[in-house]
Coordinates of all heavy atoms in Angstrom, one line a residue:
M1219 N 0.9 -1.2 0.0 CA 0.0 0.0 0.0 C 0.9 1.2 0.0 O 1.8 1.3 0.8 CB -0.9 0.0 1.3 CG -1.9 1.0 1.2 SD -2.9 1.0 2.7 CE -4.2 -0.1 2.2
D1220 N 0.7 2.2 -0.9 CA 1.5 3.4 -1.0 C 0.6 4.6 -0.4 O -0.4 5.0 -1.0 CB 1.8 3.6 -2.4 CG 2.7 4.9 -2.6 OD1 3.3 5.3 -1.6 OD2 2.8 5.4 -3.7
F1221 N 1.2 5.2 0.6 CA 0.5 6.4 1.2 C 1.0 7.7 0.7 O 0.7 8.8 1.1 CB 0.6 6.3 2.8 CG -0.1 5.2 3.4 CD1 0.5 4.1 3.8 CD2 -1.5 5.3 3.5 CE1 -0.2 3.1 4.4 CE2 -2.2 4.3 4.1 CZ -1.5 3.1 4.5
G1222 N 1.9 7.6 -0.3 CA 2.5 8.8 -0.8 C 3.7 9.4 -0.1 O 4.2 10.4 -0.4
Y1223 N 4.1 8.7 1.0 CA 5.3 9.2 1.7 C 6.5 8.6 1.1 O 6.6 7.4 0.7 CB 5.2 8.7 3.2 CG 4.0 9.3 3.9 CD1 3.0 8.5 4.3 CD2 4.0 10.7 4.2 CE1 1.9 9.1 5.0 CE2 2.9 11.2 4.9 CZ 1.9 10.4 5.3 OH 0.8 10.9 6.0
K1224 N 7.6 9.3 1.1 CA 8.9 8.8 0.7 C 9.7 8.5 2.0 O 9.6 9.3 2.9 CB 9.6 9.9 -0.2 CG 8.8 10.2 -1.5 CD 9.6 11.2 -2.3 CE 8.7 11.5 -3.5 NZ 9.3 12.7 -4.2
E1225 N 10.5 7.5 1.9 CA 11.4 7.2 3.0 C 12.2 8.4 3.4 O 12.4 8.6 4.7 CB 12.3 6.0 2.7 CG 13.1 5.5 3.8 CD 13.9 4.2 3.4 OE1 13.5 3.5 2.5 OE2 14.9 4.0 4.1
E1226 N 12.8 9.1 2.5 CA 13.6 10.2 2.9 C 12.9 11.3 3.7 O 13.4 11.8 4.6 CB 14.1 10.9 1.6 CG 15.1 12.0 1.8 CD 15.6 12.6 0.5 OE1 16.2 11.8 -0.3 OE2 15.4 13.8 0.2
E1227 N 11.6 11.5 3.4 CA 10.8 12.5 4.1 C 10.6 12.0 5.5 O 10.6 12.8 6.5 CB 9.5 12.7 3.5 CG 9.5 13.4 2.1 CD 8.2 13.5 1.4 OE1 7.3 12.7 1.7 OE2 8.1 14.3 0.5
L1228 N 10.4 10.7 5.7 CA 10.2 10.2 7.1 C 11.4 10.3 7.9 O 11.4 10.6 9.1 CB 9.7 8.7 7.0 CG 8.3 8.5 6.4 CD1 8.0 7.0 6.3 CD2 7.2 9.2 7.2
V1229 N 12.6 10.0 7.3 CA 13.8 10.2 8.0 C 14.1 11.6 8.4 O 14.5 11.9 9.5 CB 15.1 9.7 7.1 CG1 16.4 10.0 7.7 CG2 14.9 8.2 6.9
D1230 N 13.7 12.6 7.5 CA 13.9 14.0 7.9 C 13.0 14.3 9.1 O 13.4 15.1 9.9 CB 13.5 14.9 6.7 CG 14.6 14.8 5.6 OD1 15.7 14.3 5.8 OD2 14.2 15.3 4.5
V1231 N 11.8 13.8 9.1 CA 10.9 14.1 10.2 C 11.5 13.6 11.5 O 11.5 14.3 12.6 CB 9.5 13.6 10.0 CG1 8.6 13.6 11.2 CG2 8.8 14.3 8.8
L1232 N 12.0 12.3 11.5 CA 12.5 11.8 12.7 C 13.8 12.5 13.2 O 13.9 12.7 14.4 CB 12.9 10.3 12.4 CG 11.7 9.4 12.3 CD1 12.2 7.9 11.9 CD2 11.0 9.3 13.6
E1233 N 14.6 12.9 12.3 CA 15.8 13.7 12.6 C 15.4 15.0 13.2 O 16.0 15.5 14.2 CB 16.7 13.9 11.5 CG 17.4 12.6 11.0 CD 18.2 12.8 9.8 OE1 18.1 13.8 9.1 OE2 19.0 11.9 9.4
D1234 N 14.3 15.6 12.7 CA 13.9 16.9 13.3 C 13.4 16.8 14.7 O 13.6 17.6 15.5 CB 12.8 17.5 12.3 CG 12.5 18.9 12.7 OD1 13.4 19.7 13.0 OD2 11.3 19.3 12.7
V1235 N 12.6 15.8 15.0 CA 12.1 15.6 16.3 C 13.2 15.4 17.3 O 13.1 15.9 18.4 CB 11.1 14.3 16.3 CG1 10.8 13.9 17.7 CG2 9.9 14.6 15.5
E1236 N 14.2 14.6 16.9 CA 15.3 14.4 17.9 C 16.5 15.4 17.8 O 17.3 15.4 18.7 CB 15.9 13.0 17.6 CG 14.8 11.9 17.8 CD 15.3 10.5 17.4 OE1 16.5 10.4 17.0 OE2 14.5 9.6 17.5
G1237 N 16.5 16.2 16.9 CA 17.6 17.1 16.6 C 17.6 18.4 17.4 O 16.8 18.6 18.3
V1238 N 18.5 19.2 17.0 CA 18.7 20.5 17.6 C 17.6 21.4 17.0 O 17.3 21.5 15.9 CB 20.1 21.1 17.2 CG1 20.3 22.5 17.7 CG2 21.2 20.2 17.8
R1239 N 17.1 22.3 18.0 CA 16.0 23.2 17.6 C 16.5 24.6 17.8 O 17.6 24.8 18.4 CB 14.8 23.0 18.5 CG 14.2 21.7 18.4 CD 13.3 21.5 17.1 NE 12.7 20.2 17.1 CZ 11.4 20.1 17.4 NH1 10.6 21.1 17.7 NH2 10.8 18.9 17.3
D1240 N 15.7 25.6 17.3 CA 16.1 27.0 17.5 C 15.0 27.7 18.3 O 13.8 27.4 18.1 CB 16.1 27.7 16.1 CG 17.3 27.4 15.2 OD1 18.4 27.5 15.7 OD2 17.0 26.9 14.1
L1241 N 15.5 28.5 19.2 CA 14.6 29.4 20.0 C 14.5 30.7 19.2 O 15.5 31.5 19.1 CB 15.0 29.6 21.4 CG 14.3 30.6 22.2 CD1 12.8 30.2 22.3 CD2 14.9 30.7 23.6
M1242 N 13.4 30.9 18.5 CA 13.3 32.1 17.6 C 12.5 33.2 18.3 O 11.4 32.9 18.8 CB 12.6 31.6 16.3 CG 12.7 32.6 15.2 SD 14.2 32.7 14.4 CE 14.5 31.1 13.7
V1243 N 13.0 34.4 18.2 CA 12.3 35.6 18.7 C 11.9 36.4 17.6 O 12.8 36.7 16.7 CB 13.3 36.3 19.8 CG1 12.5 37.6 20.3 CG2 13.6 35.4 21.0
F1244 N 10.7 36.9 17.6 CA 10.2 37.7 16.5 C 10.1 39.2 16.9 O 9.8 39.6 18.0 CB 8.8 37.1 16.1 CG 8.9 35.8 15.6 CD1 8.8 34.7 16.5 CD2 9.2 35.5 14.3 CE1 8.9 33.4 16.1 CE2 9.3 34.2 13.8 CZ 9.2 33.1 14.7
N1245 N 10.1 40.1 15.9 CA 10.0 41.5 16.0 C 8.5 41.9 16.2 O 7.6 41.2 15.8 CB 10.5 42.2 14.8 CG 10.6 43.7 15.0 OD1 11.0 44.1 16.0 ND2 10.4 44.4 13.9
D1246 N 8.3 43.0 17.0 CA 7.0 43.6 17.1 C 7.1 45.1 17.2 O 8.3 45.6 17.3 CB 6.2 43.0 18.3 CG 6.9 43.2 19.6 OD1 7.5 44.3 19.8 OD2 6.9 42.3 20.5
D1247 N 6.1 45.8 17.3 CA 6.1 47.2 17.4 C 5.8 47.7 18.9 O 5.6 48.9 19.1 CB 5.0 47.9 16.5 CG 5.4 47.7 15.0 OD1 6.6 47.5 14.7 OD2 4.4 47.6 14.2
V1248 N 6.0 46.8 19.8 CA 5.6 47.1 21.2 C 6.8 47.1 22.1 O 7.0 48.0 22.9 CB 4.6 46.0 21.7 CG1 4.2 46.2 23.2 CG2 3.3 46.0 20.8
N1249 N 7.6 46.1 22.1 CA 8.7 46.0 23.0 C 9.9 46.8 22.6 O 10.3 46.9 21.5 CB 9.2 44.5 23.1 CG 8.1 43.7 23.8 OD1 7.8 43.7 24.9 ND2 7.4 42.8 23.0
T1250 N 10.6 47.4 23.7 CA 11.7 48.2 23.5 C 13.0 47.4 23.3 O 13.0 46.2 23.8 CB 12.0 49.2 24.6 OG1 12.2 48.4 25.8 CG2 10.7 50.1 24.9
F1251 N 14.0 48.0 22.8 CA 15.3 47.2 22.7 C 15.7 46.8 24.0 O 16.2 45.7 24.2 CB 16.4 48.1 22.0 CG 16.3 48.2 20.5 CD1 15.6 49.0 19.8 CD2 17.1 47.2 19.8 CE1 15.6 49.0 18.4 CE2 17.1 47.2 18.4 CZ 16.4 48.1 17.7
D1252 N 15.7 47.8 25.0 CA 16.1 47.5 26.4 C 15.4 46.3 27.0 O 16.1 45.4 27.6 CB 16.0 48.7 27.3 CG 17.0 49.8 27.0 OD1 18.1 49.4 26.4 OD2 16.8 50.9 27.3
H1253 N 14.1 46.2 26.8 CA 13.3 45.1 27.3 C 13.8 43.8 26.7 O 14.0 42.8 27.4 CB 11.8 45.3 27.1 CG 10.9 44.2 27.6 ND1 10.9 43.9 28.9 CD2 10.1 43.5 26.9 CE1 10.0 42.9 29.1 NE2 9.5 42.6 27.8
V1254 N 13.9 43.7 25.4 CA 14.4 42.5 24.7 C 15.8 42.2 25.2 O 16.1 41.0 25.5 CB 14.3 42.7 23.2 CG1 15.0 41.5 22.4 CG2 12.9 42.9 22.7
I1255 N 16.7 43.1 25.2 CA 18.1 42.8 25.7 C 18.1 42.3 27.1 O 18.7 41.2 27.4 CB 18.9 44.1 25.5 CG1 19.1 44.4 24.1 CG2 20.3 43.9 26.2 CD1 19.6 45.8 23.8
E1256 N 17.4 42.9 28.0 CA 17.3 42.5 29.4 C 16.8 41.1 29.5 O 17.3 40.3 30.3 CB 16.5 43.5 30.2 CG 17.2 44.8 30.4 CD 16.3 45.9 31.0 OE1 15.2 45.6 31.3 OE2 16.8 47.0 31.0
T1257 N 15.8 40.8 28.7 CA 15.1 39.5 28.8 C 16.1 38.4 28.2 O 16.2 37.3 28.8 CB 13.8 39.4 27.9 OG1 12.9 40.4 28.5 CG2 13.1 38.1 27.9
L1258 N 16.8 38.7 27.1 CA 17.7 37.7 26.6 C 18.9 37.5 27.6 O 19.4 36.3 27.7 CB 18.2 38.2 25.2 CG 17.2 38.2 24.1 CD1 17.9 38.7 22.8 CD2 16.6 36.8 23.9
V1259 N 19.4 38.5 28.3 CA 20.4 38.3 29.2 C 19.9 37.5 30.4 O 20.6 36.5 30.8 CB 20.9 39.7 29.8 CG1 21.8 39.6 31.0 CG2 21.7 40.4 28.6
R1260 N 18.7 37.7 30.9 CA 18.1 37.0 32.0 C 17.8 35.6 31.7 O 18.1 34.6 32.4 CB 16.9 37.7 32.6 CG 16.3 37.1 33.8 CD 15.2 37.9 34.3 NE 14.2 38.3 33.3 CZ 13.2 37.4 32.9 NH1 13.1 36.2 33.4 NH2 12.3 37.8 32.0
V1261 N 17.1 35.4 30.6 CA 16.5 34.1 30.3 C 17.5 33.2 29.5 O 17.7 32.0 29.9 CB 15.2 34.2 29.4 CG1 14.7 32.9 28.9 CG2 14.2 35.0 30.2
C1262 N 18.2 33.7 28.6 CA 19.1 32.9 27.7 C 20.6 32.9 28.2 O 21.4 32.3 27.7 CB 19.0 33.4 26.3 SG 17.4 33.2 25.6
K1263 N 20.8 33.8 29.2 CA 22.2 33.9 29.8 C 23.1 34.5 28.7 O 24.3 34.1 28.7 CB 22.7 32.6 30.3 CG 21.8 31.9 31.3 CD 21.6 32.8 32.5 CE 20.7 32.1 33.5 NZ 19.8 33.0 34.3
H1264 N 22.6 35.4 27.9 CA 23.5 36.0 26.9 C 24.3 37.1 27.6 O 23.9 37.7 28.6 CB 22.6 36.7 25.8 CG 22.0 35.8 24.8 ND1 21.4 36.3 23.7 CD2 22.0 34.5 24.7 CE1 21.0 35.3 23.0 NE2 21.3 34.2 23.6
S1265 N 25.4 37.4 27.0 CA 26.2 38.6 27.4 C 25.4 39.8 26.9 O 24.5 39.7 26.0 CB 27.6 38.7 26.8 OG 27.5 38.8 25.4
T1266 N 25.6 41.0 27.4 CA 24.9 42.2 27.0 C 25.2 42.4 25.5 O 24.2 42.7 24.7 CB 25.3 43.4 27.8 OG1 25.1 43.2 29.2 CG2 24.6 44.7 27.3
T1267 N 26.4 42.2 25.0 CA 26.8 42.4 23.6 C 26.0 41.5 22.8 O 25.5 41.8 21.7 CB 28.3 42.3 23.4 OG1 29.0 43.2 24.2 CG2 28.6 42.4 22.0
Q1268 N 26.0 40.2 23.1 CA 25.2 39.2 22.4 C 23.8 39.5 22.3 O 23.2 39.4 21.2 CB 25.5 37.8 23.0 CG 24.8 36.6 22.2 CD 25.1 35.3 22.8 OE1 25.5 35.2 24.0 NE2 24.8 34.3 22.1
A1269 N 23.2 39.9 23.4 CA 21.7 40.3 23.4 C 21.5 41.5 22.6 O 20.4 41.5 21.9 CB 21.3 40.5 24.9
E1270 N 22.4 42.5 22.5 CA 22.2 43.6 21.7 C 22.3 43.3 20.2 O 21.4 43.7 19.5 CB 23.3 44.7 22.0 CG 23.1 45.4 23.3 CD 24.3 46.3 23.7 OE1 25.4 46.2 23.0 OE2 24.2 47.0 24.7
Q1271 N 23.2 42.4 19.9 CA 23.3 42.0 18.5 C 22.0 41.2 18.1 O 21.5 41.5 17.0 CB 24.5 41.0 18.3 CG 25.8 41.8 18.4 CD 27.0 40.9 18.5 OE1 26.9 39.7 18.7 NE2 28.2 41.5 18.2
C1272 N 21.5 40.4 18.9 CA 20.3 39.7 18.6 C 19.1 40.7 18.4 O 18.3 40.5 17.5 CB 19.9 38.6 19.7 SG 21.0 37.2 19.7
A1273 N 19.0 41.7 19.3 CA 18.0 42.6 19.3 C 18.0 43.4 17.9 O 16.9 43.6 17.3 CB 18.0 43.6 20.5
Y1274 N 19.2 43.7 17.5 CA 19.3 44.4 16.2 C 18.9 43.5 15.0 O 18.2 43.9 14.1 CB 20.7 45.0 16.0 CG 20.9 46.3 16.7 CD1 21.7 46.4 17.8 CD2 20.3 47.4 16.2 CE1 21.8 47.6 18.4 CE2 20.4 48.7 16.8 CZ 21.2 48.7 18.0 OH 21.4 49.9 18.6
I1275 N 19.3 42.2 15.1 CA 18.9 41.3 14.0 C 17.4 41.1 14.0 O 16.7 41.1 13.0 CB 19.6 39.9 14.2 CG1 21.1 40.1 13.9 CG2 19.0 38.9 13.3 CD1 21.9 38.9 14.4
I1276 N 16.8 41.0 15.2 CA 15.3 40.9 15.3 C 14.7 42.1 14.7 O 13.7 42.0 13.9 CB 14.9 40.8 16.8 CG1 15.4 39.4 17.3 CG2 13.4 40.9 16.9 CD1 15.3 39.3 18.9
H1277 N 15.2 43.3 15.0 CA 14.6 44.5 14.5 C 14.7 44.7 13.0 O 13.7 45.0 12.4 CB 15.2 45.7 15.2 CG 14.7 47.0 14.7 ND1 13.5 47.6 15.1 CD2 15.3 48.0 13.9 CE1 13.3 48.7 14.5 NE2 14.4 49.0 13.8
Y1278 N 15.9 44.4 12.5 CA 16.0 44.6 11.0 C 15.6 43.5 10.1 O 15.3 43.7 8.9 CB 17.5 45.0 10.8 CG 17.8 46.3 11.2 CD1 18.6 46.6 12.4 CD2 17.3 47.4 10.6 CE1 18.9 47.9 12.8 CE2 17.5 48.8 11.0 CZ 18.4 48.9 12.1 OH 18.6 50.2 12.6
T1279 N 15.5 42.2 10.6 CA 15.2 41.1 9.8 C 13.8 40.5 10.2 O 13.3 39.7 9.5 CB 16.2 40.0 9.8 OG1 16.3 39.4 11.0 CG2 17.6 40.5 9.4
G1280 N 13.3 40.9 11.3 CA 12.0 40.4 11.8 C 12.0 39.2 12.7 O 11.1 38.8 13.3
K1281 N 13.3 38.5 12.8 CA 13.4 37.4 13.7 C 14.9 37.1 13.9 O 15.7 37.5 13.1 CB 12.7 36.2 13.2 CG 13.2 35.7 11.9 CD 12.4 34.5 11.3 CE 12.9 34.1 10.0 NZ 12.1 33.0 9.4
C1282 N 15.1 36.3 14.9 CA 16.5 35.9 15.2 C 16.5 34.6 16.0 O 15.7 34.5 17.0 CB 17.3 36.9 15.9 SG 19.0 36.5 16.3
S1283 N 17.3 33.7 15.7 CA 17.5 32.5 16.5 C 18.5 32.9 17.6 O 19.6 33.1 17.4 CB 18.1 31.3 15.7 OG 18.4 30.2 16.5
V1284 N 17.9 32.9 18.9 CA 18.7 33.4 20.0 C 19.3 32.3 20.8 O 20.2 32.6 21.6 CB 17.8 34.3 20.9 CG1 17.3 35.5 20.2 CG2 16.7 33.5 21.5
K1285 N 18.9 31.0 20.5 CA 19.5 29.9 21.2 C 19.3 28.6 20.4 O 18.2 28.5 19.8 CB 18.9 29.8 22.6 CG 19.7 29.0 23.6 CD 20.8 29.9 24.2 CE 21.3 29.3 25.5 NZ 22.4 30.0 26.0
K1286 N 20.2 27.7 20.4 CA 20.0 26.4 19.8 C 20.1 25.3 20.9 O 20.9 25.5 21.9 CB 21.0 26.2 18.8 CG 20.9 27.0 17.5 CD 21.9 26.6 16.5 CE 21.8 27.4 15.2 NZ 20.5 27.2 14.5
G1287 N 19.3 24.2 20.7 CA 19.4 23.2 21.7 C 18.3 22.2 21.6 O 17.5 22.2 20.6
A1288 N 18.1 21.3 22.6 CA 17.0 20.4 22.6 C 15.8 21.1 22.9 O 15.7 22.1 23.7 CB 17.4 19.3 23.6
F1289 N 14.6 20.5 22.4 CA 13.3 21.1 22.7 C 13.1 21.3 24.2 O 12.6 22.3 24.6 CB 12.2 20.2 22.0 CG 10.9 20.8 22.2 CD1 10.4 21.8 21.4 CD2 10.1 20.3 23.2 CE1 9.1 22.3 21.6 CE2 8.8 20.8 23.5 CZ 8.3 21.8 22.6
A1290 N 13.4 20.3 24.9 CA 13.2 20.3 26.4 C 13.9 21.4 27.1 O 13.4 21.9 28.1 CB 13.5 18.9 27.0
D1291 N 15.1 21.8 26.6 CA 15.8 22.9 27.2 C 15.3 24.2 26.7 O 15.3 25.2 27.5 CB 17.3 22.8 26.8 CG 18.0 21.5 27.4 OD1 17.5 21.0 28.4 OD2 18.9 21.0 26.7
L1292 N 14.8 24.3 25.5 CA 14.4 25.6 25.0 C 13.0 25.9 25.3 O 12.6 27.1 25.4 CB 14.5 25.6 23.4 CG 15.9 25.4 22.9 CD1 15.8 25.3 21.3 CD2 16.8 26.4 23.4
K1293 N 12.1 25.0 25.6 CA 10.7 25.2 25.9 C 10.5 26.2 27.1 O 9.8 27.2 27.1 CB 9.9 24.0 26.1 CG 8.4 24.2 26.3 CD 7.7 22.9 26.4 CE 6.2 23.2 26.6 NZ 5.5 22.3 27.4
P1294 N 11.2 25.9 28.3 CA 11.0 26.8 29.4 C 11.6 28.3 29.2 O 11.0 29.2 29.6 CB 11.9 26.2 30.5 CG 12.3 24.9 30.1 CD 12.1 24.8 28.6
M1295 N 12.6 28.4 28.3 CA 13.1 29.7 27.9 C 12.1 30.4 27.1 O 11.8 31.6 27.3 CB 14.4 29.6 27.1 CG 15.6 29.1 27.9 SD 17.0 29.0 26.9 CE 18.1 28.1 27.9
K1296 N 11.5 29.7 26.1 CA 10.5 30.3 25.3 C 9.3 30.8 26.1 O 8.8 31.9 26.0 CB 10.0 29.2 24.3 CG 8.8 29.7 23.4 CD 7.6 28.8 23.7 CE 6.4 29.2 22.9 NZ 5.2 29.0 23.6
E1297 N 8.8 30.0 27.1 CA 7.7 30.4 28.0 C 8.1 31.6 28.8 O 7.3 32.5 28.9 CB 7.3 29.2 28.8 CG 6.7 28.1 28.1 CD 6.5 26.8 28.8 OE1 7.0 26.7 30.0 OE2 5.9 25.8 28.3
A1298 N 9.3 31.7 29.3 CA 9.7 32.9 30.1 C 9.8 34.1 29.2 O 9.4 35.2 29.6 CB 11.1 32.6 30.7
I1299 N 10.2 34.0 27.9 CA 10.2 35.1 27.0 C 8.8 35.5 26.7 O 8.5 36.8 26.7 CB 11.0 34.7 25.8 CG1 12.5 34.6 26.1 CG2 10.8 35.8 24.7 CD1 13.4 34.0 25.0
C1300 N 7.9 34.6 26.5 CA 6.5 35.0 26.1 C 5.8 35.6 27.3 O 5.0 36.4 27.1 CB 5.8 33.7 25.6 SG 6.3 33.2 24.0
E1301 N 6.2 35.2 28.5 CA 5.5 35.7 29.7 C 5.7 37.2 29.8 O 4.9 37.9 30.5 CB 6.0 35.0 30.9 CG 5.4 33.6 31.2 CD 6.0 32.9 32.4 OE1 6.8 33.5 33.1 OE2 5.7 31.7 32.5
V1302 N 6.8 37.7 29.3 CA 7.1 39.1 29.4 C 6.7 39.9 28.2 O 7.1 41.0 27.9 CB 8.6 39.4 29.8 CG1 8.9 38.8 31.2 CG2 9.5 38.9 28.7
G1303 N 5.9 39.2 27.3 CA 5.3 39.9 26.2 C 6.1 39.9 24.9 O 5.7 40.7 24.0
I1304 N 7.1 39.1 24.8 CA 7.9 39.0 23.6 C 7.5 37.8 22.9 O 7.4 36.7 23.5 CB 9.4 39.0 23.9 CG1 9.8 40.3 24.7 CG2 10.3 38.8 22.7 CD1 11.2 40.3 25.3
D1305 N 7.3 37.8 21.6 CA 6.9 36.7 20.8 C 8.1 35.8 20.5 O 9.1 36.2 20.0 CB 6.3 37.1 19.5 CG 5.7 36.0 18.6 OD1 5.4 34.9 19.2 OD2 5.5 36.2 17.4
A1306 N 8.0 34.5 20.9 CA 9.1 33.5 20.7 C 8.4 32.2 20.4 O 7.3 31.9 20.8 CB 10.0 33.5 21.9
Q1307 N 9.2 31.3 19.7 CA 8.8 30.0 19.3 C 10.0 29.1 19.3 O 11.1 29.5 18.9 CB 8.0 29.9 18.0 CG 6.8 30.6 17.9 CD 6.1 30.5 16.5 OE1 6.7 29.8 15.6 NE2 5.1 31.3 16.3
V1308 N 9.8 27.8 19.6 CA 10.8 26.8 19.4 C 10.5 26.2 18.0 O 9.4 25.7 17.8 CB 10.8 25.7 20.5 CG1 11.8 24.7 20.1 CG2 11.1 26.4 21.8
V1309 N 11.5 26.3 17.1 CA 11.3 25.8 15.8 C 12.4 24.8 15.4 O 13.4 24.8 15.9 CB 11.2 26.9 14.7 CG1 9.9 27.7 14.9 CG2 12.4 27.7 14.7

């Protein structure tokens, strides 16, 4: 029976589930640079310089991967960032 799936696609899905994810933060018209920077320093343990660079990337490109890691490690960070009004997702 053929369900239209290719073996390669299934392997890609499995690797994605078990692999490294990105904590993506998105731009908005509400949060200040200082708020985003302070949040990245507190939640992601970024240096001030690293957080500033991420904030500029977010501002100018609309999003930035601020951390890479396992889903289980990134999920609490994502929740902490969202709790302070900044849009973030684990992708």
Side-chain angles (χ1 to χ4, degrees):
M1219 186 180 275
D1220 182 19
F1221 292 104
Y1223 297 110
K1224 296 179 183 169
E1225 185 176 338
E1226 183 177 302
E1227 291 173 341
L1228 294 175
V1229 170
D1230 288 345
V1231 170
L1232 288 174
E1233 287 175 351
D1234 189 40
V1235 169
E1236 297 173 2
V1238 175
R1239 301 285 186 98
D1240 289 301
L1241 176 56
M1242 193 72 66
V1243 175
F1244 298 91
N1245 191 35
D1246 62 37
D1247 294 330
V1248 179
N1249 292 291
T1250 64
F1251 275 91
D1252 287 340
H1253 179 58
V1254 173
I1255 292 165
E1256 291 165 7
T1257 301
L1258 294 177
V1259 168
R1260 181 177 53 80
V1261 173
C1262 299
K1263 307 301 183 213
H1264 284 190
S1265 67
T1266 303
T1267 301
Q1268 184 180 11
E1270 287 173 354
Q1271 291 172 343
C1272 287
Y1274 279 106
I1275 292 169
I1276 293 164
H1277 178 73
Y1278 287 109
T1279 68
K1281 64 184 177 181
C1282 179
S1283 173
V1284 298
K1285 200 81 163 176
K1286 291 187 179 294
F1289 180 82
D1291 296 330
L1292 299 179
K1293 186 177 180 217
M1295 291 181 195
K1296 176 243 180 214
E1297 291 169 353
I1299 291 169
C1300 289
E1301 283 177 7
V1302 297
I1304 300 170
D1305 186 19
Q1307 294 179 8
V1308 177
V1309 295

